[in-house]
Amino acid sequence: MTQSIPPVQPPAAQEPAEQQPQPQPQPVDAAPSSAPQSADGAPYAPQPGAVPPPPAPGIPYGAVPAPAPVRNNLGLGLVAAFVAAVVAAGVYGAIIGLTKHEIGWAAVGVGFLVGLAAGRLGGRNPVLPVASAVLSLGSVYIGQLVGEAMIGAKETPLSFSELFFQHFDVLQQAWKADADPLTFVFFAIAAYVAFSTARKTAL
């Protein structure tokens, strides 16, 4: 009697061993963050009242504007002051001729106008305040002569132009006769106002 030999089955293929997961490379930050972070990596929100960190050295807080250039135009300032003195003399003389009185605020206006023109257009040249004071003295003097001519034209048969241009010496004599201490006070006021205005308004 023969025995049947069971067929030999091939050995089962062994399953490959489970592969261990390889650790993934973590990205490396270019620079470590200085801000505090929570456990999950998110930065903490800034707390109220916290003082911000100082800026990095070498970084300015803000651009500083360049200073404006200082104006220094002596010629233009002198011309402007001279023109202002001529105009102020005419106005001052007209006030005297109409009112027949010397008015203090008019002398102040003469000095202010001359000094303002010199300072604004001439700049900070140290000669301009002194020149303004001298021109204001001349402006007040010519203005008083204009006033004398206007008053004389009303009281004599001569016209204003005849008195002022043809009989200027007569006007000067009339001015000397009418001058009093207050007249010279007006000179001083005009010169002081012109000097100080030229310095304060210089650009």
Side-chain angles (χ1 to χ4, degrees), residues 28-159:
V28 179
D29 294 337
S33 175
S34 60
Q37 297 181 354
S38 60
D40 56 356
Y44 287 111
Q47 299 297 326
V51 179
I59 301 177
Y61 285 95
V64 179
V70 177
R71 182 178 298 175
N72 187 356
N73 194 331
L74 178 60
L76 182 60
L78 291 176
V79 171
F82 178 79
V83 173
V86 172
V87 174
V91 175
Y92 184 51
I95 294 174
I96 295 176
L98 294 175
T99 62
K100 296 184 179 181
H101 294 288
E102 298 176 357
I103 302 176
W105 60 262
V108 173
V110 170
F112 178 78
L113 184 61
V114 175
L116 180 65
R120 286 297 177 89
L121 298 180
R124 299 183 181 180
N125 192 294
V127 177
L128 290 175
V130 179
S132 300
V134 174
L135 288 172
S136 67
L137 292 175
S139 180
V140 170
Y141 177 67
I142 296 299
Q144 291 178 356
L145 292 180
V146 169
E148 290 283 353
M150 291 181 65
I151 295 173
K154 297 176 183 179
E155 299 175 353
T156 64
L158 298 176
S159 65

Side-chain angles (χ1 to χ4, degrees), residues 145 148 168-179:
L145 292 180
E148 290 283 353
F168 193 77
D169 55 341
V170 177
L171 283 180
Q172 289 179 321
Q173 294 176 2
W175 177 83
K176 291 179 182 179
D178 294 338

